[in-house]
Amino acid sequence: MSKPAVKPVQLVTAKRLTSTANIGHAKTKAPKQARTEVKGKVKSVKNRPSAEIKKALHPRNVHLNGYDFPALMSSFPKLKAFVRPTPYGALSVDFADPLAVKILNAALLKHHYGIESWDIPDGALCPPIPGRVDYLHYLADLLAEGDNVFALDKTRVLDIGTGANGIYPILGCQVYGWQFVASDINAHSLSNVQSIIEQNPVLQGQISLRLQPNDKAVFKGIIQAGECFALTLCNPPFHASMAEASEGTKRKVNNLQLNRGGLVKIVPKLNFGGQAAELWCQGGERQFLATMIRESQIFADQCLWFTSLVSKKENLKPCYQALAQLKVDTVKTIEMQQGNKITRVLAWSFQSAAKRKIWRGEHLAR
């Protein structure tokens, strides 16, 4: 019997998620989800109306109301040297200073997530923690399938391209108790993540690291025979070349200068935006996603949900077309917005809703 055509795309917007649950393993009121149904295969998604987005983080995100700098400085005294009052009287750090951002991240990880020691090498991508944990909250909603019970046993997650910061495994372990396999093509990046694990007992035994030997592969060489994952996640390289990545860094710098009224000139630094494989790959985000989708079919029975961030909206259409050709069971697009930046989570599953329900029944915490 042939597989059914792709089910209608479901679009979840940040504005519609109204849960007020605390972070972590908890039962919450079911979030209201705005769904736009499209008849036929997923390639018809171009007719979908625009989503209304609220400029807010996920309701379970502890960073929803901004940074509590006095509390952060109390937990992590090193942060004090970088905190300054803004012209409006609020406390902040210089987000154009890579060291200030790194120290802020270390403070956030200690204060909110119990991570005593976290560091990255010069030149490595320093991730914005509120946005990174937002991705994880939406993935927890994806697994919940509407019932909003997040206490699941032995939830295994695969992080593709964990980088030197290892931020998704760290946050996923501490927020939801998930177990991670984290992969990367850079051995030095994995070495740094291993150092973070060794310095934090709460992470030991929760994260295993795998080197991807083939820079043209995504899942091949990483997912082993017989093992299964509830989720895969990825933040693909945005750019197609180092030159394109450098232009992206310049745009970030210009935006920061505009926010300051253009009064202070900021000199771009390499570790402002990340390094090599963290920022760019041949073919950029579109090619990376195409490879990921193609390889996902090989491991269709070993992963409940495949997911990836999609930074560029124009890259969604070719993804929808590729997924339609593979005849996956379900495709969802989740839009997240932090400030003025919109990011999309593309999620797809080869498993039927009935099979996913069986999986949840087997993994609900007792």
Side-chain angles (χ1 to χ4, degrees):
M1 180 181 295
S2 61
K3 293 183 71 66
V6 177
K7 292 184 178 179
V9 172
Q10 297 169 320
L11 183 65
V12 182
T13 70
K15 184 170 184 178
R16 295 292 185 176
L17 291 171
T18 57
S19 169
T20 57
N22 292 328
I23 195 167
H25 302 169
K27 292 185 178 181
T28 66
K29 294 182 180 179
K32 297 179 181 179
Q33 297 182 351
R35 297 183 178 182
T36 301
E37 296 188 359
V38 182
K39 293 182 179 180
K41 294 186 178 180
V42 78
K43 63 183 179 182
S44 300
V45 77
K46 62 183 180 182
N47 296 320
R48 184 181 73 240
S50 298
E52 184 181 3
I53 301 293
K54 181 180 180 181
K55 293 185 178 182
L57 297 167
H58 190 284
R60 290 197 303 278
N61 197 320
V62 297
H63 311 291
L64 189 63
N65 296 316
Y67 301 132
D68 184 345
F69 280 99
L72 291 172
M73 289 186 288
S74 177
S75 295
F76 199 79
K78 287 183 180 179
L79 180 62
K80 293 180 182 179
F82 298 91
V83 175
R84 299 286 186 273
T86 70
Y88 307 100
L91 295 178
S92 188
V93 299
D94 182 358
F95 286 94
D97 179 356
L99 181 57
V101 175
K102 183 168 70 170
I103 295 299
L104 173 60
N105 272 9
L108 290 169
L109 287 169
K110 182 175 182 181
H111 182 72
H112 293 291
Y113 304 102
I115 300 301
E116 295 293 330
S117 179
W118 180 88
D119 196 7
I120 54 174
D122 290 343
L125 184 65
C126 194
I129 288 175
R132 295 300 192 259
V133 78
D134 235 38
Y135 185 6
L136 298 175
H137 288 310
Y138 281 108
L139 292 188
D141 291 343
L142 189 69
L143 282 181
E145 298 269 12
D147 67 18
N148 263 15
V149 178
F150 303 112
L152 302 173
D153 282 336
K154 299 179 181 177
T155 301
R156 299 187 74 235
V157 181
L158 172 60
D159 178 20
I160 296 294
T162 198
N165 55 71
I167 200 66
Y168 288 121
I170 291 170
L171 294 172
C173 287
Q174 294 303 94
V175 177
Y176 288 109
W178 295 343
Q179 296 179 337
F180 276 80
V181 170
S183 71
D184 205 277
I185 64 172
N186 189 320
H188 295 294
S189 291
L190 292 180
S191 177
N192 191 72
V193 178
Q194 181 61 41
S195 177
I196 294 171
I197 294 170
E198 291 173 354
Q199 295 176 64
N200 291 278
V202 293
L203 300 177
Q204 292 171 18
Q206 300 299 306
I207 305 171
S208 62
L209 307 177
R210 295 180 189 174
L211 180 67
Q212 171 58 267
N214 182 357
D215 62 3
K216 300 295 191 297
V218 177
F219 300 119
K220 291 179 180 178
I222 296 298
I223 299 179
Q224 299 173 359
E227 70 176 345
C228 296
F229 295 95
L231 298 162
T232 75
L233 62 87
C234 181
N235 184 14
F238 296 156
H239 307 292
S241 67
M242 179 57 106
E244 186 179 312
S246 297
E247 286 300 315
T249 297
K250 290 179 182 178
R251 285 193 295 272
K252 289 182 181 180
V253 168
N254 289 338
N255 288 337
L256 280 173
Q257 286 186 220
L258 287 174
N259 290 337
R260 296 177 174 189
L263 299 177
V264 181
K265 184 175 181 181
I266 304 170
V267 179
K269 299 180 181 180
L270 287 177
N271 54 346
F272 179 73
Q275 62 186 4
E278 293 177 320
L279 283 181
W280 68 275
C281 66
Q282 187 174 359
E285 182 181 69
R286 178 174 295 194
Q287 182 57 54
F288 193 97
L289 290 168
T291 301
M292 176 180 289
I293 289 170
R294 184 176 65 252
E295 288 189 12
S296 71
Q297 187 179 38
I298 301 171
F299 304 98
D301 294 329
Q302 293 179 252
C303 299
L304 199 66
W305 285 101
F306 296 92
T307 80
S308 179
L309 292 179
V310 181
S311 177
K312 300 177 181 178
K313 184 178 181 180
E314 62 268 24
N315 289 340
L316 283 173
K317 183 177 179 179
C319 289
Y320 293 147
Q321 293 171 336
L323 290 166
Q325 291 175 356
L326 295 182
K327 297 183 179 180
V328 300
D329 184 87
T330 308
V331 175
K332 295 187 180 184
T333 302
I334 304 165
E335 288 192 347
M336 307 185 299
Q337 183 162 350
Q338 298 96 44
N340 294 321
K341 182 180 180 182
I342 296 176
T343 304
R344 301 139 195 99
V345 177
L346 179 64
W348 65 99
S349 179
F350 292 89
Q351 308 301 315
S352 67
K355 288 184 178 179
R356 297 198 302 267
K357 184 176 181 180
I358 292 172
W359 180 89
R360 279 189 52 75
E362 293 174 345
H363 289 79
L364 284 175
R366 300 299 194 270

